[in-house]
Amino acid sequence: MSSSPSTIRVAIIGGGLAGAAVLRGLLRYPHIVVDMYECRPAFREEGPALGFTTSTQDILAAIDPDLQRCLDRAGAVLTTTETRLASGPHIGREIDINGLGERCKKNVDRQAFLNEMLRGMPPRMMHPGTRISSVTELGPGQGLMLHFADGSQKKYDIVVGADGTHGFTRRLVLGSDEFLSNAYPTGFWRVSIKVPLRRAQRAMGSQYSDPRNPRQVTWIGDGTAMIHELLDNSREAQIVVYGRTDEATEENGASQSSWARLFTPDEFQEIFSTNRVPMCHGMVDLIQSVYTVQMAAICQLEHRPAPTFVSSNICLIGDSAHSMLPFQDASVSIALEEALILSTLLGRLPSKEAIPAALQAYDHVCRPRAEQAAESSAETGFLVTGRATGVGLDANLLQQHLWHKYEFLLDGTTDERRTAATMVMDQLMGVESGWA
Ligand SMILES: Cc1cc2nc3c(=O)[nH]c(=O)nc-3n(C[C@H](O)[C@H](O)[C@H](O)COP(=O)(O)OP(=O)(O)OC[C@H]3O[C@@H](n4cnc5c(N)ncnc54)[C@H](O)[C@@H]3O)c2cc1C
């Protein structure tokens, strides 16, 4: 057993969910001093709501028991999930998915949840409006220098790159090879809206938007998936629609022009014309009542698998490590699992010399898991948009392929991975397992 370790200084670059989760996880360790830097003037999370399965809620509780309560304070809605066909020969048929169903997850607005995660955090650790322009290594065992956009600099022992899909820390770890560093467009795109519940009920009917029985329903169409759910203590409804273009995507990284696709109202209607469920038409009408002139669909990007998430003192987490398709809410679950494992490993550091062992152990356990999640999310994307080869809109085949699809996320074995990571760290440090 080591005596009290020297202070270890950690800089988190990026104040999204991944960065915030690492911050919360590290706060419990008195020998770690942590700062979180966010370039935007406030901590912001954009995009559609997030779904937290019971397994993901357990991960939150393991990071910090109060994080589970943050979900409720952010108006999370306990939701039953359903998946049904909106098109094809088996229209209306429900597809059962093992582990999903009755009241199986909590859906929450991501900005509301981030606000709750960061509420009450010590202001001295939080640095909004602070862009990090570069990081330089100071030599073996000497730590890292953070360079700020205003020209100032500060020394740290560890940098956590939580700066998202387009952040610069991925290049620090992987080098300047654009094939690995840049996310590329997958051909999937997304449009989402959030409206007051009453307005959604007027457009879609109240069968599926009853606040007494909140449901998240995914409608599988011919090249599309339409999802609706309730948020903000059931005061609001969210609609997210995904589509897929079959045009070839760029081979070498995403160009700036590929972040969005524009559709005229007629083109947009046409995309969903084979969906024969009346409430799907209601959803399209509702989206068109928000985007009256043109639909701006966000292209869904993905990174190629990284050969490593770490260098000696820098590690990647969340979207900077692995941007992936959002079909299983896997990216947020995986980011939180990474935050738990990383903070556990850093919390066990006996000295600065052990930092490379902790980061290697993090990489060893977390990277294969992220690769599995990215692959599964992509396969699920093809299935729920009716575009999986040899499956299409056949309900029996969809049932067969989707039944086991979520099990790897719901298996509740995060504790085993956390234990595995600590054992790897111990081995790398040459210390008997059981050291604490
Ligand atoms: C539009 C959108 C939709 C998504 N939909 C889903 C979904 O439905 N389901 C799901 O599971 N996941 C989804 N995801 C992914 C999920 O939100 C993320 O995996 C999760 O929130 C973790 O993100 P992050 O914290 O790694 O990155 P981000 O949330 O992108 O945060 C990175 C932060 O770093 C900051 N930053 C960047 N560069 C610097 C710098 N140089 N200095 C300081 N700060 C910097 C940015 O301003 C940003 O706030 C979506 C993501 C996006 C963007």
Side-chain angles (χ1 to χ4, degrees), residues 47-320:
L50 297 169
F52 289 82
T53 61
T54 43
S55 301
T56 313
Q57 291 169 46
D58 290 344
I59 297 171
L60 280 178
I63 296 172
D64 178 342
D66 184 55
L67 285 179
Q68 256 187 321
R69 293 188 280 276
C70 289
L71 272 181
D72 297 324
R73 289 200 291 268
V77 177
L78 183 59
T79 302
T80 294
T81 63
E82 275 178 42
T83 303
R84 293 184 179 276
L85 278 148
S87 193
H90 304 128
I91 190 162
R93 273 262 294 274
E94 184 171 359
I95 308 294
D96 292 323
I97 299 177
N98 194 26
L100 299 187
E102 283 285 308
R103 300 160 74 83
C104 67
K105 64 175 177 176
K106 288 187 174 177
N107 288 331
V108 70
D109 178 273
R110 60 174 69 210
Q111 181 65 55
F113 181 56
L114 183 67
N115 291 345
E116 292 302 329
M117 281 179 101
L118 296 177
R119 192 181 300 282
M121 290 296 99
R124 70 192 143 76
M125 298 182 183
M126 319 250 286
H127 308 278
T130 310
R131 177 177 290 280
I132 308 302
S133 49
S134 64
V135 177
T136 45
E137 301 219 21
L138 296 173
Q142 298 300 304
L144 303 145
M145 189 65 83
L146 245 65
H147 301 271
F148 299 89
D150 67 1
S152 58
Q153 49 191 38
K154 194 168 175 185
K155 203 176 148 194
Y156 287 92
D157 301 304
I158 301 172
V159 164
V160 177
D163 48 351
T165 306
H166 303 289
F168 75 98
T169 58
R170 192 171 164 91
R171 280 192 302 282
L172 291 179
V173 171
L174 300 179
S176 54
D177 179 357
E178 292 195 351
F179 185 81
L180 278 181
S181 299
N182 290 357
Y184 68 95
T186 55
F188 286 98
W189 49 261
R190 186 203 75 233
V191 177
S192 63
I193 58 164
K194 210 164 61 168
V195 294
L197 177 64
R198 289 263 166 78
R199 186 170 162 194
Q201 287 174 328
R202 277 199 298 275
M204 296 158 37
S206 51
Q207 186 193 357
Y208 286 105
S209 45
D210 179 353
R212 288 166 305 180
N213 177 23
R215 281 191 278 176
Q216 179 194 60
V217 187
T218 299
W219 295 96
I220 301 178
D222 186 7
T224 63
M226 308 185 86
I227 302 168
H228 55 87
E229 62 203 2
L230 303 185
L231 298 173
D232 190 16
N233 292 317
S234 296
R235 283 192 287 263
E236 293 198 281
Q238 173 180 264
I239 294 170
V240 187
V241 300
Y242 294 97
R244 190 177 147 78
T245 40
D246 292 326
E247 299 152 24
T249 53
E250 284 174 67
E251 269 304 302
N252 275 322
S255 74
Q256 288 305 309
S257 60
S258 57
W259 71 272
R261 275 186 71 91
L262 297 177
F263 298 108
T264 65
D266 286 347
E267 284 168 341
F268 197 68
Q269 286 271 358
E270 179 58 27
I271 291 167
F272 299 94
S273 60
T274 61
N275 283 14
R276 299 206 309 278
V277 175
M279 76 167 307
C280 291
H281 295 296
M283 284 194 257
V284 173
D285 290 344
L286 199 50
I287 292 172
Q288 291 192 316
S289 73
V290 174
Y291 292 97
T292 50
V293 181
Q294 244 179 352
M295 309 300 134
I298 308 295
C299 294
Q300 303 289 291
L301 307 182
E302 181 174 71
H303 280 127
R304 295 184 176 82
T308 180
F309 285 174
V310 305
S311 64
S312 55
N313 290 50
I314 306 175
C315 69
L316 305 174
I317 187 168
D319 287 4
S320 70

Side-chain angles (χ1 to χ4, degrees), residues 322-401:
H322 46 66
S323 295
M324 63 179 84
L325 286 166
F327 291 100
Q328 297 182 297
D329 278 333
S331 36
V332 76
S333 308
I334 296 292
L336 293 173
E337 189 174 308
E338 289 166 351
L340 173 61
I341 292 174
L342 182 63
S343 54
T344 302
L345 295 170
L346 299 188
R348 299 176 80 253
L349 281 171
S351 66
K352 292 178 187 175
E353 288 67 43
I355 291 171
L359 298 191
Q360 287 298 334
Y362 164 77
D363 179 61
H364 183 82
V365 170
C366 292
R367 191 161 44 84
R369 175 95 172 138
E371 279 172 22
Q372 181 189 20
E375 214 172 285
S376 179
S377 291
E379 287 164 5
T380 304
F382 281 98
L383 287 165
V384 297
T385 54
R387 282 288 189 263
T389 310
V391 177
L393 292 166
D394 183 305
N396 298 325
L397 292 172
L398 280 166
Q399 177 66 74
Q400 199 180 309
H401 284 79

